[in-house]
Amino acid sequence: MSTLTPEERAKKLSEGLDYVKDLPGFERGHPHYFKDPMIDHLLEIVLQLGAEMWIIRDRQMVTEHLLTTEGKVTPEMIEAFKPSPEFREKMKAERGTYTRRLYQSLYDGIGPGGEAAFVSGVLKVR
Amino acid sequence: MGHIETKSLLTRGFNGNTPELLNRADEAYCDFVSGARNLLMYAQFQNIGKLGEAELDQAAKATGHRPNSPDAIKALVMKVPEVATYFRVKRTLQESYWRRIAESYGLKQREFEQALAEADQMGPGSVTYDPNFVYPAYATIDIHVQPGGYTGQRLGALTYDYGTKIFFGGAGDADSLHHSMAEKTSAPKDGVVKRVMEIGCSIGQMACGLKKRFPNAEVWGTDIGAPMVRYAHWRTIQQGLDVLYAQMPAEDLDFPDNHFDIVTAHLLFHEIPVPVIKRILAEAKRVLRPGGVFVLWDFFSAKNRSGATNFMGLMDASDNGEPFAPGFVNCDVEALMEQAGFKLRSHDPQELGRTGRVGDKPI
Ligand SMILES: C[S@@+](CC[C@H](N)C(=O)[O-])C[C@H]1O[C@@H](n2cnc3c(N)ncnc32)[C@H](O)[C@@H]1O
């Protein structure tokens, strides 16, 4: 066990690291990316709206599914609903179409991009 | 309050080993964010990188020098509307999921805190931490823009768990990435594995993978963050695995010399300052026995990959809460491992799913 007090230990762990207090370019606040920050706000709102609308669509799909398979639906049933792998895939495909339709114009100038996944996009696993 | 049953706490159960969010709406919100990240960010990663680099090349031609400070780079590339859009979307989605996840679990803040307090005293495995621990400044940064980072929120590790699920866009579900890395972790050449430790273990995904891989070994997970090791222990109990967790800075470990057969560090080094990396390497060497092995998986080194310090990397550092990543990429960690006294067995740091860098402590 360390024999130092917590403060002494923190000081020791911080030795030679004064530069951490002022990291160049490191963005801690809420940066904006357009010259007119209102464009940033609008894009944020548009994304939030897309998310909130998806919530309603998701609920509607689950509701229809439960009505079809169980003949009834309650809020508790919706909360407890565990989608099967097939249903999950169906939702995912629906969500992909929905997101593309809403936002495809954002990158109109540069095309649809590559394969849409973290692993292929960023890590490029062979 | 009486004893908290996991079942009554998590009315919506688990997703793999990650607690489901507390209502369907929050889950749907995060599904949207996760899908949007795949489509609006990852799919455009290469395109945006090229656009930004072209803009910087052009500036270099015009002025005779290429800007290299983040502010100067941003001033130039953000003039390209698609580039500005990309980073706006990225930052918004990043901030959005942290906020929504914390709000969701926050509905049962007290109950979660109680469950963690109860788990502190339970097995299998154990956890130790110091409630009075004082963090060095580098460990209090909002890494990945998560409010409170790894150390500042009592439920920060729970939030981090669901957040990384989104970060990997589904590719790491059910701890699959970690478990495949654990499977491929190199063992000492003599094959003797009695004690294993993952440093910077976060929520214990890798430590659990290592326990499955080496069921008869004593497996430790250590991390500087008390919220991390406490939650890791709770999460590991849910899986019925016997892992020992402790809050310990990896550069100052409370273990004797020559104690471990394997020490692993996954995605730790790019999140800490280079001087700390050097101290950690010395400490890992100390606690490993002769013949023991240090396994590092992390970002590639700049010398191994052109474009490692390109502007996408710099933007990630500055606007996605990875302030130490450029330092790591440029520090030549392979050389640092050798300077610390390890003999490099192999390194293949460009691929996920391989072991990255493997260093033996000479006999
Ligand atoms: C990206 S996470 C690592 C994730 C984990 N190893 C995995 O593979 O999922 C980095 C972790 O390192 C911890 N950390 C940061 N500095 C540390 C230090 N000096 N010693 C130990 N852990 C540290 C953070 O608290 C955080 O949990």
Side-chain angles (χ1 to χ4, degrees):
Chain A
M1 276 305 285
S2 182
T3 51
L4 305 172
T5 67
E7 286 76 16
E8 287 166 348
R9 197 180 190 195
K11 212 171 151 201
K12 189 179 143 214
L13 295 174
S14 302
E15 264 166 30
L17 299 173
D18 280 351
Y19 76 96
V20 167
K21 286 195 214 94
D22 184 28
L23 291 161
F26 175 43
E27 203 51 80
R28 292 166 211 252
H30 294 281
H32 58 83
Y33 299 89
F34 289 90
K35 206 162 150 223
D36 180 353
M38 195 47 76
I39 300 182
D40 288 79
H41 295 315
L42 288 175
L43 266 174
E44 283 217 87
I45 293 167
V46 163
L47 284 164
Q48 298 306 335
L49 278 176
E52 295 297 338
M53 236 161 76
W54 173 256
I55 291 175
I56 299 171
R57 265 179 101 128
D58 172 275
R59 206 171 179 84
Q60 190 176 12
M61 281 176 80
V62 174
T63 302
E64 284 168 5
H65 181 79
L66 286 170
L67 277 176
T68 313
T69 53
E70 311 289 327
K72 66 168 195 166
V73 64
T74 64
E76 291 72 29
M77 285 166 76
I78 293 175
E79 292 304 326
F81 176 67
K82 283 257 176 200
S84 64
E86 298 79 52
F87 193 75
R88 211 178 266 284
E89 278 310 308
K90 197 174 132 196
M91 301 280 276
K92 197 175 157 193
E94 183 80 13
R95 207 165 55 234
T97 310
Y98 166 87
T99 307
R100 259 184 232 107
R101 276 196 189 131
L102 272 182
Y103 301 110
Q104 65 189 1
S105 69
L106 288 180
Y107 298 120
D108 254 357
I110 58 174
E115 200 186 322
F118 171 76
V119 174
S120 55
V122 179
L123 288 180
K124 286 188 277 165
V125 178
R126 249 179 257 153
Chain B
M1 245 195 263
H3 167 66
I4 294 254
E5 293 284 344
T6 304
K7 255 199 178 139
S8 67
L9 179 63
L10 297 178
T11 42
R12 303 187 65 248
F14 285 88
N15 182 325
N17 295 314
T18 304
E20 288 285 17
L21 296 178
L22 296 190
N23 55 63
R24 177 95 210 155
D26 294 338
E27 186 182 334
Y29 182 97
C30 288
D31 285 347
F32 169 84
V33 171
S34 182
R37 283 171 61 85
N38 281 346
L39 284 168
L40 304 179
M41 288 174 36
Y42 296 139
Q44 293 291 349
F45 184 85
Q46 311 286 344
N47 284 346
I48 298 296
K50 279 185 207 142
L51 272 181
E53 293 299 333
E55 195 66 17
L56 295 173
D57 286 347
Q58 215 175 14
K61 254 189 221 144
T63 63
H65 82 281
R66 202 182 150 94
N68 54 15
S69 85
D71 288 338
I73 289 177
K74 278 188 225 176
L76 268 175
V77 297
M78 293 310 159
K79 286 191 201 138
V80 184
E82 284 88 354
V83 176
T85 301
Y86 179 92
F87 288 105
R88 171 71 272 155
V89 169
K90 180 172 176 179
R91 182 80 180 204
T92 296
L93 293 176
Q94 188 76 1
E95 289 175 357
S96 299
Y97 72 75
W98 290 128
R99 194 169 48 233
R100 190 75 174 221
I101 295 167
E103 274 173 23
S104 191
Y105 292 133
L107 295 171
K108 288 193 177 170
Q109 174 90 19
R110 267 184 6 157
E111 290 88 338
F112 275 116
E113 285 189 28
Q114 195 197 336
L116 289 178
E118 287 178 10
D120 282 350
Q121 313 299 329
M122 279 162 58
S126 61
V127 63
T128 57
Y129 60 96
D130 176 3
N132 299 315
F133 192 89
V134 179
Y135 293 97
Y138 78 80
T140 62
I141 282 171
D142 290 0
I143 298 277
H144 307 142
V145 201
Q146 179 181 354
Y150 293 116
T151 57
Q153 295 282 343
R154 281 195 290 271
L155 298 186
L158 173 62
T159 302
Y160 171 83
D161 187 351
Y162 206 92
T164 48
K165 184 177 128 51
I166 296 176
F167 180 82
F168 285 118
D173 280 5
D175 300 345
S176 53
L177 279 182
H178 289 83
H179 288 187
S180 72
M181 283 191 276
E183 276 306 308
K184 287 166 185 159
T185 296
S186 303
K189 285 181 176 155
D190 59 19
V192 177
V193 181
K194 288 192 207 130
R195 283 198 203 95
V196 182
M197 168 166 60
E198 154 92 337
I199 53 175
C201 70
S202 277
I203 58 174
Q205 290 161 293
M206 185 68 192
C208 287
L210 290 167
K211 183 68 195 177
K212 286 186 177 165
R213 163 95 190 274
F214 304 109
N216 298 321
E218 180 181 296
V219 174
W220 284 84
T222 55
D223 195 286
I224 201 168
M228 289 289 153
V229 289
R230 295 185 68 203
Y231 175 73
H233 175 56
W234 177 88
R235 197 180 192 272
T236 303
I237 290 176
Q238 310 305 318
Q239 299 166 66
L241 290 170
D242 176 3
V243 176
L244 307 164
Y245 290 100
Q247 178 187 30
M248 280 187 212
E251 64 271 43
D252 186 19
L253 296 166
D254 295 326
F255 289 109
D257 298 355
N258 308 320
H259 197 62
F260 286 95
D261 304 286
I262 304 177
V263 173
T264 65
H266 284 88
L267 293 173
L268 164 67
F269 279 15
H270 76 276
E271 292 186 357
I272 54 179
V274 174
V276 181
I277 293 177
K278 293 182 185 166
R279 288 169 206 165
I280 291 178
L281 285 170
E283 194 65 347
K285 164 107 182 308
R286 181 183 71 77
V287 300
L288 277 168
R289 61 147 169 113
V293 60
F294 178 65
V295 180
L296 172 72
W297 186 83
D298 213 306
F299 294 0
F300 42 81
S301 291
K303 62 169 186 189
N304 292 325
R305 180 147 141 182
S306 63
T309 50
N310 64 14
F311 105 96
M312 291 302 264
L314 268 181
M315 281 305 297
D316 204 54
S318 79
D319 285 47
N320 195 32
E322 294 276 20
F324 303 116
F328 171 72
V329 169
N330 287 306
C331 81
D332 194 353
V333 74
E334 293 84 13
L336 293 184
M337 283 174 70
E338 279 174 338
Q339 279 161 31
F342 289 107
K343 183 139 181 22
L344 269 189
R345 191 191 290 185
S346 68
H347 75 88
D348 185 6
Q350 303 217 12
E351 285 189 59
L352 178 67
R354 300 266 179 108
T355 44
R357 296 84 160 172
V358 181
D360 291 295
K361 173 166 168 175
I363 297 179

